[in-house]
Amino acid sequence: MSKYVFGVDVGGTTVKMGFFDNEGVVLEKWEIPTRTQNGGENILPDIAKSILNTMDEKGISKEDVIGVGIGVPGPVDGNGVVYKAVNLGWGVFNIAETLTGLLGIPAKAGNDANVAALGEMWKGGGQGYRSLVAVTLGTGIGGGVIIDGKLLTGYKGAGGEIGHVHIMDDEPEACGCGGHGCLEQYGSATGVVRLANRILAATEEDSVLRNGDVSAKSVFDAVKAGDKVAIQIATQFGEILGKGLAIIASVLNPEIFVIGGGVSKAGEILFEYIKPAYQKYVFPGSAETEFALATLGNDAGIYGAAKLVL
Amino acid sequence: MSKYVFGVDVGGTTVKMGFFDNEGVVLEKWEIPTRTQNGGENILPDIAKSILNTMDEKGISKEDVIGVGIGVPGPVDGNGVVYKAVNLGWGVFNIAETLTGLLGIPAKAGNDANVAALGEMWKGGGQGYRSLVAVTLGTGIGGGVIIDGKLLTGYKGAGGEIGHVHIMDDEPEACGCGGHGCLEQYGSATGVVRLANRILAATEEDSVLRNGDVSAKSVFDAVKAGDKVAIQIATQFGEILGKGLAIIASVLNPEIFVIGGGVSKAGEILFEYIKPAYQKYVFPGSAETEFALATLGNDAGIYGAAKLVL
């Protein structure tokens, strides 16, 4: 009986890999470099080689492996087709079929943020929930939408792109997507810094933030210390992000939002700033949607990838 | 072998009913009044009686009926539980179970806008698509989201409430939901009139709209006649609605938007005003999402209700 699963999370510089039993207990974790040269042609062969080596070392046959799940930074549809992954140099092709061919083991593929959402539902902050939106507040905002336990990939793999919900008119700076006024321009780690710099420039008021690096961490540390300017920044951050999540809830009516990524390291205090705006803007039918912190950190991707094939 | 289906669409004043074969051909349509007195206690018994009478007249046994589908104006979850339907006087109860009990025939229930979306996918403007958002531009804006052929009901039946996506800050008037600045305050038939009155008040420019009733119909008739003020109104309407649909697409990445309701009677000209704003605000991965007009009109509800049980 097959009893093992591999979960793979491909990033722009490293590939995280996990070897799991069929209950989702991680037995081993390791990383390999992501070789993006030549259109990223080595990435999948490198992954296949690393998996086959691991199986060899452990004396595991292909029959012992249920499958391999993989998350990648780009839009992936329900059949495992990626529609360009710029950071990897990839164009359009079927990842799942290619990896299955290289391994002789069934493989499934998904977008990294979507797959991380699956991980948080399975073993993280969303355990016990079947309908959730995972929100990763990192350099940008990643989103993963799960409905009745199933990932919403979108027609062309662009489902759950909640970082690009338009939230602000008249934004002069462009978002990475080319738009102006996307949610991630204010609600991500980079977004907190943008808001901080604008507020610091607009006021003369003293703040500890004037004496060092401005980062999402330093802003929320200052909030906890009672710094008035930092509180003003957090209030604006919460107003925008809370409004964005309210808009998303009016479309999806999820059971819970699971908030992860670097900004979420600030902890439960985030919710003090997000929830009032959420309640102000949300359709009453979604007023009871819960909020929780993600708990798997950088491992959400390998857990979710493993879950893809279970 | 069971070969018939009933589709029921409950409105605040009349209940529309349809008798279908198992291919979705409507064999008969009729209406009965909606008796909302005493907490709407007669509505389901009236419907059951009308269905049983019809079966009796036609000499059809319960074994000949696959099931009865019903759409109601309120949030309904995936199990058929309604969470209040204010216009019917209903509180929280399981519609599907109650109707099954009254009929001795399997019944399923859904929200009316969601059910209408199912109808448009099955026999209307969304035929051949599996992932669509139906947008009904009526007194308000109703929404129905279908993912991979399945309705997104939401955790508490409040999925697809796209009329209540927050789209405008600083709106002084309240929406029916209690919020301020909801999409339906600008994109519905009522919304077009709101925008028209504001623009007419803000300009001195001559317009045919100053000589009669201002309605969604008169505005778009004037647009077609080249009336400059009407074109300004349509432009603002399209900017707001296109932005709203772009936001929704960033979350769902649907294959198509199917636009129905009274405002959609203006025809394809609507898209000339909606699409430029949609393209301006949408995440590039959803730029290819299509637009079509709904085709079933007021019958979308009975078709979709029938489809619920097929």
Side-chain angles (χ1 to χ4, degrees), chain A residues 147-148 150 152 154-161 164-166 169 177 243 247-248 250-253 255 281 283-285, chain B residues 147-148 150 152 154-161 164-166 169 177 243 247 250-255 281 283-285:
Chain A
I147 308 291
D148 292 335
K150 195 166 168 286
L152 188 156
Y155 177 57
K156 288 282 185 191
E161 284 288 355
H164 302 286
V165 160
H166 178 85
D169 292 334
C177 76
K243 188 197 290 181
I247 288 170
I248 292 160
S250 299
V251 179
L252 298 171
N253 183 218
E255 203 173 353
Y281 293 109
F283 179 67
Chain B
I147 307 290
D148 292 335
K150 196 165 168 284
L152 188 156
Y155 178 57
K156 288 282 185 189
E161 285 288 354
H164 302 286
V165 160
H166 178 85
D169 292 334
C177 76
K243 187 196 292 181
I247 288 170
S250 299
V251 180
L252 298 171
N253 184 217
E255 203 172 353
Y281 293 109
F283 180 68

Side-chain angles (χ1 to χ4, degrees), chain A:
Chain A
M1 200 186 97
S2 300
K3 41 188 183 290
Y4 299 107
V5 172
F6 288 90
V8 181
D9 182 19
V10 184
T13 51
T14 59
V15 179
K16 294 191 186 67
M17 308 190 56
F19 174 58
F20 295 83
D21 69 17
N22 60 4
E23 303 282 308
V25 175
V26 64
L27 305 172
E28 198 167 324
K29 295 195 292 184
W30 70 102
E31 294 186 359
I32 62 172
T34 309
R35 291 198 291 152
T36 56
Q37 303 90 328
N38 301 320
E41 64 179 13
N42 296 308
I43 298 174
L44 291 182
D46 285 353
I47 289 168
K49 197 171 154 196
S50 180
I51 288 174
L52 294 171
N53 279 349
T54 303
M55 287 166 58
D56 207 32
E57 280 169 24
K58 297 186 186 297
I60 292 166
S61 73
K62 290 184 181 179
E63 289 65 40
D64 292 331
V65 179
I66 299 167
V68 175
I70 180 169
V72 306
V76 180
D77 74 13
N79 299 316
V81 174
V82 60
Y83 296 91
K84 287 192 183 172
V86 197
N87 295 339
L88 306 183
W90 286 357
V92 182
F93 71 100
N94 192 311
I95 302 174
E97 281 178 10
T98 307
L99 194 56
T100 301
L102 288 167
L103 285 167
I105 296 171
K108 287 195 176 171
N111 165 268
D112 55 359
N114 288 349
V115 165
L118 210 53
E120 286 292 342
M121 182 185 72
W122 189 34
K123 297 287 179 183
Q127 272 185 78
Y129 296 85
R130 302 267 305 157
S131 167
L132 67 83
V133 179
V135 183
T136 307
L137 308 175
T139 310
I141 294 186
V145 176
I146 298 174
I147 308 291
D148 292 335
K150 195 166 168 286
L151 270 176
L152 188 156
T153 57
Y155 177 57
K156 288 282 185 191
E161 284 288 355
I162 63 176
H164 302 286
V165 160
H166 178 85
I167 199 75
M168 187 79 78
D169 292 334
D170 309 318
E171 169 60 47
E173 292 180 52
C175 177
C177 76
H180 290 77
C182 291
L183 186 58
E184 75 174 31
Q185 290 188 274
Y186 317 94
S188 63
T190 329
V192 173
V193 173
R194 173 178 287 111
L195 294 177
N197 287 333
R198 288 179 182 177
I199 289 174
L200 285 164
T203 172
E204 300 277 297
E205 192 157 354
D206 196 32
S207 166
V208 295
L209 296 170
R210 299 195 191 277
N211 313 325
D213 271 1
V214 175
S215 65
K217 183 178 187 320
S218 69
V219 167
F220 280 97
D221 284 347
V223 167
K224 289 170 190 167
D227 186 279
K228 280 188 185 171
V229 176
I231 289 170
Q232 202 183 328
I233 297 162
T235 302
Q236 197 175 349
F237 159 87
E239 168 78 12
I240 298 172
L241 186 57
K243 188 197 290 181
L245 299 183
I247 288 170
I248 292 160
S250 299
V251 179
L252 298 171
N253 183 218
E255 203 173 353
I256 191 169
F257 284 103
V258 179
I259 314 285
V263 179
S264 74
K265 288 180 186 159
E268 297 275 343
I269 196 171
L270 277 185
F271 300 145
E272 293 175 29
Y273 291 91
I274 296 172
K275 283 185 181 176
Y278 178 81
Q279 291 299 335
K280 180 174 160 195
Y281 293 109
V282 80
F283 179 67
S286 287
E288 289 168 31
T289 296
E290 297 172 45
F291 286 79
L293 293 170
T295 61
L296 298 179
N298 289 332
D299 287 345
I302 57 170
Y303 276 95
K307 178 65 178 160
L308 269 184
V309 290
L310 279 174

Side-chain angles (χ1 to χ4, degrees), chain B residues 14 34 44 48 54 95-96 104 142 158 171 176 180 191 206 223 248-249 259 263 282 305:
Chain B
T14 58
T34 310
L44 290 183
T54 303
I95 302 174
E171 170 59 49
H180 290 76
D206 196 31
V223 167
I248 293 159
I259 314 285
V263 178
V282 79

